[in-house]
Amino acid sequence: MEVAEVTTFLAGTTPFDQLDHAQLASLAGNISVYYCQNGETVQLSAERLMIVRTGIFALYSDQQTLLTKLEEGDFYGYQLLLTGLSDDDKLLCEEDGLVYWLSADAFHQLRYQYKNIDIFFQRLFSRRLHQYKAQQQNSRFTLKISDIVQARKIAISGEHSVQQAAALMTEKRVSSLLVEQEERLVGIITDRDLRSRVLAADLPAQTPVKQVMTAKPHTIDKHAYLFEAVQLMSRHNVHHLPVLDKQQSYSMITATDIIRSQQDHPVYLIGEIHRQTSVDGLEHCASQVSSLALTLGKQQVPAHEAGHIITTITDALTQRLIALAQHELGPPPCVFSWLAFGSQGRMDQSLNADQDNALLLEKEPVGEVAEYFAALADFVCQGLARCGIILCPGNIMASNSALRLSLKGWSGQFAKWVTSPTPDALLKSSIFFDLRVIEGSKGLFNALQQDILAKTTDNALFLYHLAQTALQRTAPLSFLRNFILEHDGKQKKGLDLKKRGISLITDIVRVYALSAGISEINTRQRLVQLANQGVMDSKDTQNLSDAFDVLAQLRWDKHQHDLTQGHDVSNLLDPNVLSGLQRHQLKDSLTVINDAQSSLKHRFCRDL
């Protein structure tokens, strides 16, 4: 055996490619080489790691079911080495080839010596798809409220006097107090309240706190992201937010806390957005999103968190445009809810997302109501387009009069999709079932959402057709686990990570969520709810969540690369640019999608 040849091969094979030359040469010295002929059955009884050098090997279960095919760089035997338990598998050589055998002792020594190699094989065994990279410290861009605020509940009763409140603030050296009644948050009082509502109004020192407090204040959960606090403070022009833990008072976060923690945080862009007084100003703010995205990438912010940040910026732009429109058009003639669908609704927007929005109105869209909201919708949609969020090619926008409806109108539209679920109609309408209110009445929105879920829960006919729609596209993986590439309009070959990956998982999870009446919209959170309620097996939901994260991360990394190269952001990925581990992860992710589609078909499509 030529040790140099083995060393060269190992140097290009994940996970051994992280070893230096001396380590690789030492490893190669523990390897034996075996030549297999076509039709030969490989002996699997011994505890050793098999590394395919050349050839094709078919792996069959004890029921003679083809499990997979192993090719160059694939492994077998780690199951027995990790657990001591053997399977009654059969491995048949289908094309002459070479295999490398690594002894059990050498394998275990390698695992103990190199933690990342141990992690690699553990994850291969568990079929889990978590990303293989060192754990990062909390990024300053995705700090949680709990990262900078400690449990410190300084509260007072509403029956106490403002003099007592001022004394408590002085004693505790704080600028605000939580106001509670029977352990329940009912308001807050700040030093500013004492100045403007007590001293300026010449009220007596014995005035009860409840008379001058801010009742029903905006709150935030301690597990929320810090940038969400920035968004909430900027949007409502407040400087203090009560922090809750399981709906109970936990602490208070102030604007000073946030500024002190990270003055140069680029997500302060959200605060700038809410201070703009013109569309030109918003357009300037939006022009900074690309540089923000690159900064997030350099800080190794995970894809799902980056998507949350990008969506929050889109929400802020939308909210500010609505405020500017109302300033120009005057107050609205009725209560309304501005709705977002698709990726903005799910809070997983990417850099190349287009608009998907609509209006839900308290009154029927006729006369003055129709004219006002037509003008508002046009102002907002055109403003978003100027800010780089392109107009929807399918015209799924509030500027489309068919998407400006009353609660009765929207209820009737969803009823048509649910009760007469033709494949074509569902293909075009499935995006509408991922909806979220961005601005306006939450009560009006909640009424619509509950109406939708009442129609879809356990509705066998609708779920059958929605599942069939989710099965129209498959993951781009051949029977032999090879990638199936496609061309884009510029004749570039690759995998469309959105259409043939992320969207497939989104479609699968949507069917299960609607079947169970789950109101959560975000795909990852839907999977959590599906597991918690026992709608899906926890292992299946974890695999889908991991696959979703792998695909989203690959797309996020691709978008980062496109930005740095000055190219248009694209979802088309050439798998040849990936590392060996990334290709393993991508194949496993696509396999998870195929398995999930099979389960979806079995569950929803077999009885009709």
Side-chain angles (χ1 to χ4, degrees):
M1 179 188 70
E2 287 289 340
V3 173
E5 182 181 338
V6 178
T7 300
T8 301
F9 173 75
L10 293 175
T13 303
T14 306
F16 309 121
D17 52 1
Q18 63 188 284
L19 304 178
D20 62 31
H21 183 77
Q23 293 165 336
L24 287 170
S26 176
L27 177 62
N30 288 291
I31 282 178
S32 58
V33 181
Y34 183 77
Y35 175 74
C36 293
Q37 291 183 317
N38 181 21
E40 181 179 348
T41 300
V42 181
Q43 297 300 315
L44 301 176
S45 57
E47 289 192 30
R48 55 186 178 177
L49 180 69
M50 172 184 167
I51 309 169
V52 179
R53 174 66 178 88
T54 59
I56 297 176
F57 298 81
L59 183 65
Y60 293 89
S61 70
D62 56 353
Q63 302 297 318
Q64 297 303 306
T65 301
L66 178 63
L67 299 176
T68 189
K69 296 202 176 188
L70 306 180
E71 301 178 32
E72 180 179 331
D74 287 331
F75 305 95
Y76 187 82
Y78 52 85
Q79 306 94 319
L80 177 60
L81 289 164
L82 293 173
T83 66
L85 301 174
S86 61
D87 295 317
D88 294 325
D89 295 339
K90 177 182 178 181
L91 190 61
L92 183 67
C93 179
E94 291 192 341
E95 181 181 289
D96 291 2
L98 291 176
V99 298
Y100 292 162
W101 293 111
L102 181 66
S103 69
D105 289 343
F107 176 77
H108 291 307
Q109 183 180 354
L110 194 66
R111 287 176 54 216
Y112 297 144
Q113 192 172 358
Y114 304 103
K115 183 178 179 180
N116 285 339
I117 291 179
D118 181 43
I119 291 172
F120 175 86
F121 284 106
Q122 292 284 355
R123 288 175 177 170
L124 269 187
F125 170 68
S126 64
R127 302 288 297 173
R128 295 288 297 278
L129 304 164
H130 289 304
Q131 291 199 283
Y132 175 73
K133 59 174 63 175
Q135 292 295 317
Q136 302 296 326
Q137 295 295 321
N138 265 349
S139 164
R140 61 196 183 95
F141 303 119
T142 54
L143 284 173
K144 300 290 185 69
I145 301 297
S146 56
D147 291 324
I148 68 166
V149 172
Q150 303 301 314
R152 192 183 184 213
K153 184 173 81 169
I154 304 175
I156 194 170
S157 165
E159 305 299 329
H160 283 80
S161 69
V162 293
Q163 184 181 38
Q164 290 172 305
L168 184 58
M169 285 186 197
T170 302
E171 176 191 347
K172 299 295 185 180
R173 303 181 67 179
V174 295
S175 61
S176 59
L177 299 173
L178 300 164
V179 183
E180 291 192 332
Q181 180 178 343
E182 298 178 351
E183 297 295 316
R184 182 173 58 86
L185 180 70
V186 294
I188 63 171
I189 184 168
T190 69
D191 54 0
R192 184 177 179 181
D193 293 331
L194 295 178
R195 293 194 305 271
S196 60
R197 299 178 184 177
V198 179
L199 291 176
D202 199 25
L203 294 180
Q206 296 308 309
T207 301
V209 166
K210 65 181 180 181
Q211 184 176 327
V212 296
M213 71 180 185
T214 299
K216 298 180 179 179
H218 297 286
T219 62
I220 194 161
D221 189 85
K222 76 170 189 175
H223 299 297
Y225 291 115
L226 197 59
F227 68 80
E228 293 180 278
V230 175
Q231 157 82 324
L232 205 54
M233 288 180 179
S234 299
R235 180 180 175 190
H236 298 289
N237 193 29
V238 296
H239 300 87
H240 300 79
L241 285 177
V243 179
L244 305 182
D245 181 17
K246 299 177 181 177
Q247 297 304 310
Q248 297 296 312
S249 298
Y250 175 82
S251 190
M252 182 85 79
I253 187 169
T254 69
T256 304
D257 294 329
I258 297 174
I259 293 170
R260 188 183 299 121
S261 70
Q262 38 184 323
Q263 270 182 313
D264 61 344
H265 197 307
V267 181
Y268 273 86
L269 174 62
I270 293 169
E272 285 298 308
I273 288 171
H274 284 289
R275 285 190 285 272
Q276 298 308 306
T277 58
S278 68
V279 180
D280 287 342
L282 291 175
E283 187 176 0
H284 174 72
C285 287
S287 69
Q288 301 172 48
V289 171
S290 292
S291 60
L292 168 61
L294 288 173
T295 304
L296 295 174
K298 290 175 182 176
Q299 292 291 324
Q300 297 187 332
V301 173
H304 70 271
E305 294 178 0
H308 197 134
I309 292 173
I310 292 169
T311 306
T312 303
I313 292 171
T314 302
D315 288 356
L317 289 168
T318 304
Q319 291 155 358
R320 193 59 192 151
L321 282 165
I322 291 172
L324 293 177
Q326 290 178 320
H327 180 75
E328 182 174 300
L329 300 171
C334 69
V335 172
F336 72 94
S337 301
W338 183 278
L339 307 178
F341 305 114
S343 61
Q344 187 183 0
R346 295 187 302 271
M347 297 207 75
D348 60 11
Q349 264 192 317
S350 62
L351 292 171
N352 57 351
D354 60 4
Q355 295 183 45
D356 294 305
N357 48 53
L359 272 165
L360 167 62
L361 309 176
E362 179 189 32
K363 297 180 180 180
E364 293 298 327
V366 294
E368 176 193 6
V369 174
E371 291 177 7
Y372 180 91
F373 286 106
L376 182 141
D378 187 65
F379 184 99
V380 176
C381 291
Q382 292 300 324
L384 287 172
R386 284 183 57 182
C387 292
I389 306 160
I390 63 174
L391 299 173
C392 175
N395 204 22
I396 301 177
M397 294 179 294
S399 53
N400 178 354
S401 61
L403 300 183
R404 297 193 299 272
L405 302 174
S406 65
L407 178 59
K408 180 181 178 181
W410 275 113
S411 178
Q413 183 60 68
F414 276 99
K416 290 179 183 177
W417 290 328
V418 173
T419 58
S420 303
T422 64
D424 184 61
L426 282 181
L427 188 63
K428 296 176 181 177
S429 66
S430 60
I431 189 176
F432 290 97
F433 289 91
D434 299 345
L435 70 165
R436 182 170 60 91
V437 60
I438 307 301
E439 183 64 287
S441 171
K442 290 184 178 179
L444 196 60
F445 165 78
N446 289 339
L448 175 60
Q449 188 177 47
Q450 292 307 310
D451 180 68
I452 294 169
L453 293 175
K455 290 179 170 69
T456 63
T457 304
D458 296 325
N459 187 327
L461 178 64
F462 166 73
L463 295 170
Y464 168 85
H465 286 287
L466 189 65
Q468 289 283 16
T469 301
L471 296 171
Q472 288 189 13
R473 290 177 297 175
T474 58
L477 200 62
S478 73
F479 180 71
L480 298 178
R481 278 175 57 89
N482 293 320
F483 295 122
I484 301 173
L485 305 183
E486 56 188 89
H487 289 85
D488 66 359
K490 300 177 182 177
Q491 295 302 304
K492 292 183 178 179
K493 292 176 67 176
L495 305 173
D496 191 318
L497 293 171
K498 179 184 177 181
K499 292 182 180 178
R500 302 294 297 277
I502 296 169
S503 292
L504 300 185
I505 296 176
T506 298
D507 292 344
I508 292 167
V509 175
R510 181 188 299 117
V511 178
Y512 283 100
L514 292 176
S515 77
I518 292 173
S519 59
E520 182 60 64
I521 298 301
N522 177 267
T523 299
R524 298 173 88 250
Q525 292 304 312
R526 275 175 165 171
L527 284 165
V528 171
Q529 292 295 316
L530 289 167
N532 289 343
Q533 296 184 25
V535 180
M536 293 180 70
D537 180 80
S538 59
K539 181 179 178 182
D540 292 337
T541 59
Q542 185 64 67
N543 281 341
L544 277 171
S545 182
D546 291 341
F548 186 85
D549 285 349
V550 167
L551 293 166
Q553 190 65 46
L554 287 173
R555 179 174 68 164
W556 176 238
D557 292 344
K558 171 65 165 56
H559 287 179
Q560 296 285 313
H561 180 265
D562 290 342
L563 285 176
T564 57
Q565 297 297 312
H567 299 158
D568 291 338
V569 173
S570 167
N571 297 320
L572 198 70
L573 174 70
D574 181 359
N576 290 322
V577 304
L578 301 177
S579 68
L581 176 63
Q582 287 176 315
R583 287 195 294 273
H584 271 292
Q585 290 180 321
L586 180 53
K587 285 185 177 181
D588 281 349
S589 298
L590 299 179
T591 300
V592 165
I593 293 174
N594 286 335
D595 292 344
Q597 286 187 324
S598 297
S599 297
L600 185 78
K601 183 176 181 180
H602 178 75
R603 182 157 178 175
F604 293 102
C605 302
R606 60 176 179 167
D607 295 329
L608 294 177

